[in-house]
Amino acid sequence: MYIVSLIARPGALDPALVSALRNALGGGEAVWLARGEAAEFPLETLPANLEELRGAIADQADLNLLPAEGRRKKMLLADMDSTMIQQECIDELAEEAGVGAHVKEITARAMNGELDFEGALTERVALLKDLPESVIDKVLEARITLMPGGKVLVATMKAQGAYTALVSGGFTAFTARVAALVGFDENRANTLLTEGGRLSGDVARPILGREAKIQALEEITARLGLSEADVLAVGDGANDLGMLGRAGFGVALHAKPSVQEQCDLRVNHGDLTALLYLQGYAQSDFA
């Protein structure tokens, strides 16, 4: 048995669209998880034209197909930049260094999988050399905003006994603050090196990238006695693909096109609460 999930921006999910899809696919009775925002219905067989349907309504809602069993996950593994926050931290630091446009171009190419992550990271960090260490707090206070729905996502999953981990190819100076603000149980990222109160233009080794996120998935599940099927992973860039492919649910959130192509679960309309709807939580269940 499968579940067809439909998620749109608040107030934008048309009941007529839900009804038409349910009738076209021969699905069971529709259930509204949030009126005007999220609905789902059961389906006995896998539709052959899923991608065609998904494309046809892409401008109206996110269509995802999920297994009916085992939807509520016991662990959340989340990327930070452009996932749990609305920015890329290194781009914001680069703006302070006066090299914003150049660094943003490298970031975009790296996140799209066009560049080697480690090489792209060291190249960008080198451009931050001699920035005062205090710029990190300045950027955190003035430039960084949380992605909508993140606190509710983490609080709701934790209330149901789930473990939450923030894993980033960014920097511990940012993940520590974001993890504390949002409520994550732990965080992992790269460490920016400093000398005499200024950024040295380098990061500590080993550099955490795609493989480190897979390693986090393996280590944390082993420590908690969970299977990878118990994990919901979310991210937006090419270096997230490893963990997204291994987790029980791997969700591409407002992701680069090349990333979406490789993920079965995609969210483009909803905020982070969409990850709760995918697990079958109704809005009334939110913490």
Side-chain angles (χ1 to χ4, degrees), residues 79-275:
D79 171 47
M80 180 180 69
D81 296 85
S82 297
T83 301
M84 297 308 300
I85 62 173
Q86 298 186 76
Q87 296 78 24
E88 295 283 334
C89 289
I90 196 165
D91 292 356
E92 302 305 320
L93 288 171
E95 288 289 344
E96 296 291 333
V99 290
H102 180 48
V103 166
K104 281 181 179 177
E105 180 189 0
I106 300 171
T107 299
R109 293 178 64 199
M111 298 312 289
N112 206 37
E114 298 171 29
L115 299 174
D116 167 68
F117 177 80
E118 187 167 326
L121 182 68
T122 53
E123 180 183 351
R124 287 174 292 167
V125 170
L127 296 169
L128 306 178
K129 186 176 181 179
D130 290 331
L131 272 181
E133 195 174 355
S134 61
V135 80
I136 293 171
D137 285 332
K138 180 182 176 183
V139 167
L140 274 163
E141 294 301 325
R143 292 179 174 271
I144 301 303
T145 52
L146 298 178
M147 191 70 75
K151 286 185 176 181
V152 174
L153 167 66
V154 170
T156 302
M157 290 190 68
K158 287 177 72 172
Q160 297 297 319
Y163 189 82
T164 58
L166 186 65
V167 290
S168 174
F171 310 116
T172 53
F174 291 90
T175 58
R177 181 80 66 88
V178 171
L181 281 172
V182 180
F184 280 92
D185 292 303
E186 72 172 85
N187 69 93
R188 301 183 181 195
N190 292 297
T191 302
L192 279 171
L193 298 177
T194 60
E195 293 174 1
R198 293 186 173 272
L199 301 187
S200 71
D202 204 0
V203 291
R205 300 303 193 274
I207 289 175
L208 277 70
R210 177 177 174 142
E211 291 307 313
K213 293 187 177 189
I214 296 172
Q215 185 178 352
L217 174 68
E218 294 173 342
E219 289 178 356
I220 299 170
T221 51
R223 189 177 80 219
L224 299 175
L226 301 175
S227 74
E228 294 181 2
D230 292 322
V231 179
L232 188 158
V234 59
D236 73 302
N239 69 329
D240 297 315
L241 282 169
M243 69 173 186
L244 295 179
R246 291 273 292 270
F249 282 179
V251 182
L253 181 85
H254 302 286
K256 311 300 180 286
S258 61
V259 176
Q260 293 198 44
E261 288 170 8
Q262 299 179 63
C263 292
D264 292 332
L265 301 178
R266 308 165 198 166
V267 171
N268 290 305
H269 290 278
D271 62 17
L272 283 162
T273 58
L275 275 62

